[in-house]
Amino acid sequence: NIFIWWLSIVTFFFCLYYLINKKDWLAFILVVPILAMLLPYILIPRVMFLYHYFPVLPFMMLTICYFFNLLNKVTKNNHLMYLYIISFILFFIFYYPVISGMVVNSSYIEGLSLLDSLIFFCQLDN
């Protein structure tokens, strides 16, 4: 889900900042496993696929939770978190037919392409 991947990259750097500047133990628990799982792949010259990054995904999702927890402590407002959750769920619902392999019209698939680099490998019948 694009909402998980992109926000988790931002929140990872947020946790890294908290680890370096605030010496936060929880940020340490999140950052170290992420780096331990991602750093070995940096030196690999071949193309990397999404399944190489799946082991780090739970920790990346925890960085999002950590970010929203700190944001809630500062603002005392959960609206941004709820907006994120609703966006995440809607994105999943719209993309589920394609990622699950359901038969859908080609126009539906073309309508889901947010970026030119987002390619769905599928057989188009219509």
Side-chain angles (χ1 to χ4, degrees), residues 7 10-12 14-15 18 26 30 60-74 80-81 84:
L7 185 61
V10 172
T11 56
F12 166 76
F14 174 80
C15 287
Y18 255 69
L26 200 51
L30 295 173
M60 295 298 272
M61 290 171 28
L62 286 173
T63 64
I64 295 171
C65 296
Y66 177 71
F67 171 76
F68 279 123
N69 184 36
L70 290 177
L71 187 66
N72 184 30
K73 286 180 183 178
V74 171
L80 193 60
M81 180 184 65
Y84 173 75

Side-chain angles (χ1 to χ4, degrees), residues 11-12 14-20 23-37 55-64 66:
T11 56
F12 166 76
F14 174 80
C15 287
L16 191 61
Y17 169 81
Y18 255 69
L19 172 62
I20 293 169
K23 308 290 189 241
D24 190 356
W25 180 251
L26 200 51
F28 176 80
I29 292 172
L30 295 173
V31 168
V32 169
I34 291 170
L35 291 176
M37 286 186 258
V56 81
L57 184 60
F59 291 98
M60 295 298 272
M61 290 171 28
L62 286 173
T63 64
I64 295 171
Y66 177 71

Side-chain angles (χ1 to χ4, degrees), residues 42-104:
I42 288 177
L43 300 175
I44 297 176
R46 66 182 175 86
V47 175
M48 301 302 294
F49 296 98
L50 188 61
Y51 64 84
H52 290 108
Y53 300 104
F54 280 159
V56 81
L57 184 60
F59 291 98
M60 295 298 272
M61 290 171 28
L62 286 173
T63 64
I64 295 171
C65 296
Y66 177 71
F67 171 76
F68 279 123
N69 184 36
L70 290 177
L71 187 66
N72 184 30
K73 286 180 183 178
V74 171
T75 63
K76 305 288 187 221
N77 189 347
N78 288 331
H79 294 0
L80 193 60
M81 180 184 65
Y82 293 136
L83 179 65
Y84 173 75
I85 291 171
I86 290 168
S87 302
F88 167 82
I89 291 171
L90 288 175
F91 191 86
F92 177 77
I93 289 171
F94 288 132
Y95 277 81
Y96 182 76
V98 176
I99 61 175
S100 68
M102 292 174 62
V103 178
V104 294

